[in-house]
Amino acid sequence: MASLGEKLKERRESLSVTQRQIALELGVTVTTVQNWEAGRYIPKLSPNQMKALCDLLNFTLEDLAD
C-alpha cells in the first residue's frame, strides 16, 4: 500500500499539477509539499486546506485515509 506522500505525488504528477501550485493553493511552502511527498512529514492541514487539497487532486478524504 502506498504511503500518503506517495499517493500525493502520484496523483499530483498524473494531473500535471506542480508542487508550487499545491503550495500556493494551501498557503504552505514548496519545501513543505516536498517533505510531505518524501514522507518526512504528515500534512497537518486545516479543514479548508484539506478540502482544497482534495479538490485540487480529485481525492476524497477516504482516499487519503486508506
Side-chain angles (χ1 to χ4, degrees):
M1 183 183 305
S3 71
L4 177 59
E6 291 168 335
K7 288 181 194 179
L8 292 174
K9 183 176 182 177
E10 287 172 12
R11 180 64 60 94
R12 178 183 62 74
E13 289 178 343
S14 73
L15 296 172
S16 299
V17 175
T18 67
Q19 291 175 331
R20 180 174 167 74
Q21 287 172 296
I22 292 175
L24 289 171
E25 188 71 27
L26 301 182
V28 299
T29 66
V30 173
T31 302
T32 297
V33 176
Q34 291 169 341
N35 285 331
W36 295 342
E37 290 184 359
R40 288 189 277 274
Y41 299 106
I42 296 173
K44 292 181 182 155
L45 302 172
S46 71
N48 288 340
Q49 288 173 311
M50 185 60 75
K51 181 178 181 336
L53 179 62
C54 288
D55 290 348
L56 188 63
L57 298 180
N58 297 320
F59 270 129
T60 64
L61 290 176
E62 290 80 19
D63 292 334
L64 293 177
D66 288 340

